Amino acid sequence: MAHTVGEVARLARVTVRTLHHYDEIGLLSPSGRTPTGYRRYDDADLERLQQILFYRELGFPLEEIATILDDPGADPAAHLRRQHELLTVRIKRLEEMVTAIEFAMEAKKMNIRLTPEERFEVFGDFDPDAHAEEAEQRWGGSEAYRESTRRTAGYTGADWLRMKEETEDWARRIVAVMESGASADSPAAMELAEEHRAHISRWYYECSYEIQTGLADMYLADPRFTAHYEQIRPGLTAYLSEAIHANAITRS
């Protein structure tokens, strides 16, 4: 059975733009086209898309996914076994991180300074100091950076926890809107883009529409930001960026 690009987007809960991108880079090219050039996806295409989304959820870059899926020696069962193994390792790592973060929260509450070893256990490969240094190099001369530094310097553990809860709640809601099939320029999506701007203004610095659209472009251009949003939901980076731009045009 052949499916249109819109039908596949709804089935897989990705954007049409994501499917077009996968086609452009040769990761998922539809098996057929109509006489007028419209894409048509068959069951084999859908199975490949499912494998792509599995690997994206596991954090694999698109180039590596293409290499894995195009390996003539791997069959669908082998892919599933590998994904099961990777997810099992990931779950174990997440459980370890939860334990470490709970330890860090308790240490903060009791005003205990973490040793370098304990700090690494909490943050793993993520080095907050290294990212702070990079942020200062890129934006240290801006008023937004100075304002953000002033604000966050006085935040307590409770403040950071409240900020985290707000962010997670927002992420759940924008994923729900995206999965409902609403376009990125729909009122619901633009309202969440506005919440994104308000969150930055509330916690970090006054975020104008010009600044926010610049951030939206950076989310697409910087692989680290892209990975962050894609981990929440594949296709979210492009969806959020488009919603931010649409909201800025509508409101400014």
mmCIF file of all heavy atoms in Angstrom, residues 183-213:
data_model
loop_
_atom_site.group_PDB
_atom_site.id
_atom_site.type_symbol
_atom_site.label_atom_id
_atom_site.label_comp_id
_atom_site.label_asym_id
_atom_site.label_seq_id
_atom_site.Cartn_x
_atom_site.Cartn_y
_atom_site.Cartn_z
ATOM 1 N N SER A 183 0.298 22.188 12.704
ATOM 2 C CA SER A 183 1.459 22.744 12.021
ATOM 3 C C SER A 183 2.241 23.654 12.957
ATOM 4 O O SER A 183 1.724 24.110 13.989
ATOM 5 C CB SER A 183 1.019 23.532 10.779
ATOM 6 O OG SER A 183 0.242 24.657 11.177
ATOM 7 N N ALA A 184 3.489 23.922 12.586
ATOM 8 C CA ALA A 184 4.344 24.746 13.441
ATOM 9 C C ALA A 184 3.861 26.187 13.521
ATOM 10 O O ALA A 184 4.211 26.903 14.466
ATOM 11 C CB ALA A 184 5.788 24.701 12.931
ATOM 12 N N ASP A 185 3.062 26.628 12.537
ATOM 13 C CA ASP A 185 2.534 27.989 12.588
ATOM 14 C C ASP A 185 1.091 28.039 13.089
ATOM 15 O O ASP A 185 0.390 29.033 12.906
ATOM 16 C CB ASP A 185 2.642 28.664 11.215
ATOM 17 C CG ASP A 185 1.875 27.914 10.130
ATOM 18 O OD1 ASP A 185 1.351 26.814 10.420
ATOM 19 O OD2 ASP A 185 1.826 28.417 8.990
ATOM 20 N N SER A 186 0.661 26.939 13.741
ATOM 21 C CA SER A 186 -0.673 26.913 14.332
ATOM 22 C C SER A 186 -0.684 27.756 15.601
ATOM 23 O O SER A 186 0.369 27.989 16.216
ATOM 24 C CB SER A 186 -1.081 25.471 14.666
ATOM 25 O OG SER A 186 -0.252 24.960 15.705
ATOM 26 N N PRO A 187 -1.847 28.225 16.048
ATOM 27 C CA PRO A 187 -1.912 29.014 17.284
ATOM 28 C C PRO A 187 -1.331 28.278 18.487
ATOM 29 O O PRO A 187 -0.636 28.879 19.313
ATOM 30 C CB PRO A 187 -3.413 29.267 17.455
ATOM 31 C CG PRO A 187 -3.956 29.232 16.055
ATOM 32 C CD PRO A 187 -3.155 28.180 15.352
ATOM 33 N N ALA A 188 -1.583 26.968 18.583
ATOM 34 C CA ALA A 188 -1.081 26.207 19.740
ATOM 35 C C ALA A 188 0.437 26.152 19.743
ATOM 36 O O ALA A 188 1.082 26.322 20.794
ATOM 37 C CB ALA A 188 -1.664 24.793 19.721
ATOM 38 N N ALA A 189 1.034 25.913 18.581
ATOM 39 C CA ALA A 189 2.498 25.831 18.499
ATOM 40 C C ALA A 189 3.128 27.195 18.751
ATOM 41 O O ALA A 189 4.140 27.307 19.461
ATOM 42 C CB ALA A 189 2.923 25.301 17.134
ATOM 43 N N MET A 190 2.533 28.246 18.195
ATOM 44 C CA MET A 190 3.092 29.587 18.395
ATOM 45 C C MET A 190 2.965 30.038 19.846
ATOM 46 O O MET A 190 3.825 30.746 20.361
ATOM 47 C CB MET A 190 2.419 30.583 17.447
ATOM 48 C CG MET A 190 2.819 30.405 15.986
ATOM 49 S SD MET A 190 2.343 31.804 14.939
ATOM 50 C CE MET A 190 0.547 31.663 15.002
ATOM 51 N N GLU A 191 1.895 29.612 20.518
ATOM 52 C CA GLU A 191 1.742 29.954 21.932
ATOM 53 C C GLU A 191 2.863 29.323 22.763
ATOM 54 O O GLU A 191 3.394 29.943 23.692
ATOM 55 C CB GLU A 191 0.384 29.474 22.435
ATOM 56 C CG GLU A 191 0.076 29.864 23.880
ATOM 57 C CD GLU A 191 0.078 31.368 24.114
ATOM 58 O OE1 GLU A 191 -0.342 32.111 23.201
ATOM 59 O OE2 GLU A 191 0.504 31.799 25.216
ATOM 60 N N LEU A 192 3.253 28.110 22.416
ATOM 61 C CA LEU A 192 4.353 27.458 23.128
ATOM 62 C C LEU A 192 5.696 28.083 22.763
ATOM 63 O O LEU A 192 6.610 28.114 23.587
ATOM 64 C CB LEU A 192 4.347 25.961 22.825
ATOM 65 C CG LEU A 192 3.221 25.220 23.551
ATOM 66 C CD1 LEU A 192 2.959 23.864 22.922
ATOM 67 C CD2 LEU A 192 3.547 25.052 25.033
ATOM 68 N N ALA A 193 5.818 28.589 21.540
ATOM 69 C CA ALA A 193 7.026 29.343 21.178
ATOM 70 C C ALA A 193 7.106 30.615 22.017
ATOM 71 O O ALA A 193 8.196 31.014 22.456
ATOM 72 C CB ALA A 193 7.002 29.689 19.690
ATOM 73 N N GLU A 194 5.957 31.232 22.250
ATOM 74 C CA GLU A 194 5.926 32.434 23.098
ATOM 75 C C GLU A 194 6.283 32.087 24.543
ATOM 76 O O GLU A 194 6.984 32.842 25.219
ATOM 77 C CB GLU A 194 4.536 33.080 23.033
ATOM 78 C CG GLU A 194 4.399 34.367 23.816
ATOM 79 C CD GLU A 194 5.254 35.507 23.277
ATOM 80 O OE1 GLU A 194 5.712 35.417 22.115
ATOM 81 O OE2 GLU A 194 5.458 36.490 24.011
ATOM 82 N N GLU A 195 5.834 30.928 25.006
ATOM 83 C CA GLU A 195 6.213 30.468 26.354
ATOM 84 C C GLU A 195 7.724 30.255 26.454
ATOM 85 O O GLU A 195 8.334 30.535 27.481
ATOM 86 C CB GLU A 195 5.480 29.171 26.707
ATOM 87 C CG GLU A 195 4.063 29.360 27.187
ATOM 88 C CD GLU A 195 3.509 28.088 27.804
ATOM 89 O OE1 GLU A 195 4.293 27.336 28.440
ATOM 90 O OE2 GLU A 195 2.307 27.837 27.658
ATOM 91 N N HIS A 196 8.300 29.726 25.386
ATOM 92 C CA HIS A 196 9.753 29.517 25.329
ATOM 93 C C HIS A 196 10.474 30.846 25.526
ATOM 94 O O HIS A 196 11.432 30.953 26.304
ATOM 95 C CB HIS A 196 10.104 28.894 23.969
ATOM 96 C CG HIS A 196 11.558 28.806 23.663
ATOM 97 N ND1 HIS A 196 12.252 29.852 23.063
ATOM 98 C CD2 HIS A 196 12.476 27.819 23.854
ATOM 99 C CE1 HIS A 196 13.510 29.516 22.906
ATOM 100 N NE2 HIS A 196 13.683 28.283 23.364
ATOM 101 N N ARG A 197 10.004 31.883 24.849
ATOM 102 C CA ARG A 197 10.609 33.213 24.979
ATOM 103 C C ARG A 197 10.414 33.764 26.395
ATOM 104 O O ARG A 197 11.339 34.323 27.001
ATOM 105 C CB ARG A 197 10.001 34.168 23.955
ATOM 106 C CG ARG A 197 10.691 35.517 23.838
ATOM 107 C CD ARG A 197 10.014 36.387 22.790
ATOM 108 N NE ARG A 197 8.736 36.871 23.270
ATOM 109 C CZ ARG A 197 8.593 37.998 23.984
ATOM 110 N NH1 ARG A 197 9.651 38.729 24.292
ATOM 111 N NH2 ARG A 197 7.392 38.369 24.366
ATOM 112 N N ALA A 198 9.206 33.590 26.939
ATOM 113 C CA ALA A 198 8.918 34.094 28.283
ATOM 114 C C ALA A 198 9.765 33.381 29.341
ATOM 115 O O ALA A 198 10.198 33.987 30.328
ATOM 116 C CB ALA A 198 7.428 33.919 28.592
ATOM 117 N N HIS A 199 10.013 32.085 29.125
ATOM 118 C CA HIS A 199 10.829 31.311 30.065
ATOM 119 C C HIS A 199 12.251 31.870 30.116
ATOM 120 O O HIS A 199 12.829 32.032 31.202
ATOM 121 C CB HIS A 199 10.851 29.845 29.628
ATOM 122 C CG HIS A 199 11.715 28.969 30.473
ATOM 123 N ND1 HIS A 199 11.272 28.367 31.630
ATOM 124 C CD2 HIS A 199 13.025 28.586 30.332
ATOM 125 C CE1 HIS A 199 12.250 27.659 32.165
ATOM 126 N NE2 HIS A 199 13.324 27.778 31.396
ATOM 127 N N ILE A 200 12.809 32.168 28.959
ATOM 128 C CA ILE A 200 14.159 32.735 28.917
ATOM 129 C C ILE A 200 14.178 34.096 29.597
ATOM 130 O O ILE A 200 15.089 34.402 30.377
ATOM 131 C CB ILE A 200 14.640 32.849 27.461
ATOM 132 C CG1 ILE A 200 14.782 31.461 26.835
ATOM 133 C CG2 ILE A 200 15.972 33.597 27.381
ATOM 134 C CD1 ILE A 200 15.068 31.467 25.350
ATOM 135 N N SER A 201 13.156 34.903 29.313
ATOM 136 C CA SER A 201 13.099 36.238 29.921
ATOM 137 C C SER A 201 12.943 36.150 31.437
ATOM 138 O O SER A 201 13.503 36.969 32.166
ATOM 139 C CB SER A 201 11.929 37.032 29.324
ATOM 140 O OG SER A 201 12.122 37.283 27.950
ATOM 141 N N ARG A 202 12.208 35.165 31.891
ATOM 142 C CA ARG A 202 11.957 35.037 33.337
ATOM 143 C C ARG A 202 13.192 34.548 34.085
ATOM 144 O O ARG A 202 13.480 35.016 35.190
ATOM 145 C CB ARG A 202 10.784 34.081 33.562
ATOM 146 C CG ARG A 202 10.401 33.892 35.025
ATOM 147 C CD ARG A 202 9.042 33.247 35.170
ATOM 148 N NE ARG A 202 8.914 31.977 34.483
ATOM 149 C CZ ARG A 202 8.250 31.799 33.338
ATOM 150 N NH1 ARG A 202 7.674 32.830 32.730
ATOM 151 N NH2 ARG A 202 8.158 30.609 32.767
ATOM 152 N N TRP A 203 13.931 33.625 33.467
ATOM 153 C CA TRP A 203 15.020 32.977 34.206
ATOM 154 C C TRP A 203 16.421 33.475 33.845
ATOM 155 O O TRP A 203 17.338 33.364 34.653
ATOM 156 C CB TRP A 203 14.967 31.466 33.989
ATOM 157 C CG TRP A 203 13.815 30.811 34.670
ATOM 158 C CD1 TRP A 203 12.654 30.381 34.092
ATOM 159 C CD2 TRP A 203 13.676 30.507 36.060
ATOM 160 N NE1 TRP A 203 11.812 29.826 35.021
ATOM 161 C CE2 TRP A 203 12.420 29.880 36.244
ATOM 162 C CE3 TRP A 203 14.500 30.686 37.168
ATOM 163 C CZ2 TRP A 203 11.968 29.450 37.475
ATOM 164 C CZ3 TRP A 203 14.053 30.242 38.417
ATOM 165 C CH2 TRP A 203 12.806 29.636 38.557
ATOM 166 N N TYR A 204 16.595 33.989 32.659
ATOM 167 C CA TYR A 204 17.955 34.308 32.206
ATOM 168 C C TYR A 204 18.156 35.780 31.840
ATOM 169 O O TYR A 204 18.931 36.488 32.461
ATOM 170 C CB TYR A 204 18.328 33.430 31.009
ATOM 171 C CG TYR A 204 18.386 31.959 31.342
ATOM 172 C CD1 TYR A 204 17.357 31.098 30.965
ATOM 173 C CD2 TYR A 204 19.459 31.432 32.054
ATOM 174 C CE1 TYR A 204 17.397 29.742 31.288
ATOM 175 C CE2 TYR A 204 19.511 30.078 32.375
ATOM 176 C CZ TYR A 204 18.473 29.244 31.992
ATOM 177 O OH TYR A 204 18.518 27.912 32.307
ATOM 178 N N TYR A 205 17.472 36.243 30.801
ATOM 179 C CA TYR A 205 17.663 37.610 30.337
ATOM 180 C C TYR A 205 16.450 37.988 29.493
ATOM 181 O O TYR A 205 15.677 37.127 29.063
ATOM 182 C CB TYR A 205 18.940 37.741 29.488
ATOM 183 C CG TYR A 205 19.025 36.746 28.361
ATOM 184 C CD1 TYR A 205 18.388 36.964 27.143
ATOM 185 C CD2 TYR A 205 19.735 35.555 28.522
ATOM 186 C CE1 TYR A 205 18.443 36.042 26.120
ATOM 187 C CE2 TYR A 205 19.796 34.620 27.500
ATOM 188 C CZ TYR A 205 19.150 34.877 26.296
ATOM 189 O OH TYR A 205 19.201 33.958 25.295
ATOM 190 N N GLU A 206 16.274 39.284 29.262
ATOM 191 C CA GLU A 206 15.150 39.751 28.451
ATOM 192 C C GLU A 206 15.350 39.277 27.017
ATOM 193 O O GLU A 206 16.305 39.682 26.340
ATOM 194 C CB GLU A 206 15.050 41.270 28.514
ATOM 195 C CG GLU A 206 13.770 41.812 27.919
ATOM 196 C CD GLU A 206 12.521 41.293 28.625
ATOM 197 O OE1 GLU A 206 12.563 41.099 29.867
ATOM 198 O OE2 GLU A 206 11.520 41.039 27.927
ATOM 199 N N CYS A 207 14.458 38.412 26.582
ATOM 200 C CA CYS A 207 14.612 37.765 25.274
ATOM 201 C C CYS A 207 13.657 38.407 24.269
ATOM 202 O O CYS A 207 12.447 38.149 24.294
ATOM 203 C CB CYS A 207 14.342 36.264 25.397
ATOM 204 S SG CYS A 207 14.594 35.340 23.871
ATOM 205 N N SER A 208 14.192 39.222 23.396
ATOM 206 C CA SER A 208 13.385 39.847 22.347
ATOM 207 C C SER A 208 13.081 38.816 21.256
ATOM 208 O O SER A 208 13.676 37.736 21.209
ATOM 209 C CB SER A 208 14.142 41.032 21.746
ATOM 210 O OG SER A 208 15.306 40.560 21.072
ATOM 211 N N TYR A 209 12.173 39.178 20.344
ATOM 212 C CA TYR A 209 11.881 38.272 19.238
ATOM 213 C C TYR A 209 13.103 38.115 18.333
ATOM 214 O O TYR A 209 13.346 37.037 17.792
ATOM 215 C CB TYR A 209 10.677 38.778 18.429
ATOM 216 C CG TYR A 209 9.380 38.678 19.197
ATOM 217 C CD1 TYR A 209 8.746 39.814 19.681
ATOM 218 C CD2 TYR A 209 8.801 37.445 19.455
ATOM 219 C CE1 TYR A 209 7.561 39.721 20.396
ATOM 220 C CE2 TYR A 209 7.618 37.333 20.175
ATOM 221 C CZ TYR A 209 6.998 38.479 20.644
ATOM 222 O OH TYR A 209 5.837 38.383 21.368
ATOM 223 N N GLU A 210 13.879 39.170 18.191
ATOM 224 C CA GLU A 210 15.090 39.087 17.382
ATOM 225 C C GLU A 210 16.079 38.090 17.984
ATOM 226 O O GLU A 210 16.662 37.267 17.272
ATOM 227 C CB GLU A 210 15.748 40.466 17.274
ATOM 228 C CG GLU A 210 17.000 40.469 16.409
ATOM 229 C CD GLU A 210 17.643 41.841 16.322
ATOM 230 O OE1 GLU A 210 17.144 42.771 16.982
ATOM 231 O OE2 GLU A 210 18.649 41.970 15.606
ATOM 232 N N ILE A 211 16.247 38.165 19.314
ATOM 233 C CA ILE A 211 17.151 37.220 19.980
ATOM 234 C C ILE A 211 16.616 35.804 19.860
ATOM 235 O O ILE A 211 17.354 34.863 19.576
ATOM 236 C CB ILE A 211 17.335 37.611 21.460
ATOM 237 C CG1 ILE A 211 18.143 38.906 21.577
ATOM 238 C CG2 ILE A 211 18.027 36.481 22.237
ATOM 239 C CD1 ILE A 211 18.290 39.421 22.997
ATOM 240 N N GLN A 212 15.298 35.650 20.066
ATOM 241 C CA GLN A 212 14.730 34.299 20.047
ATOM 242 C C GLN A 212 14.841 33.651 18.676
ATOM 243 O O GLN A 212 15.154 32.456 18.566
ATOM 244 C CB GLN A 212 13.260 34.327 20.482
ATOM 245 C CG GLN A 212 12.699 32.917 20.722
ATOM 246 C CD GLN A 212 11.202 32.902 20.917
ATOM 247 O OE1 GLN A 212 10.498 33.798 20.439
ATOM 248 N NE2 GLN A 212 10.694 31.890 21.579
ATOM 249 N N THR A 213 14.609 34.418 17.606
ATOM 250 C CA THR A 213 14.749 33.821 16.274
ATOM 251 C C THR A 213 16.209 33.472 15.986
ATOM 252 O O THR A 213 16.484 32.499 15.282
ATOM 253 C CB THR A 213 14.211 34.768 15.181
ATOM 254 O OG1 THR A 213 14.836 36.059 15.309
ATOM 255 C CG2 THR A 213 12.701 34.926 15.294
#
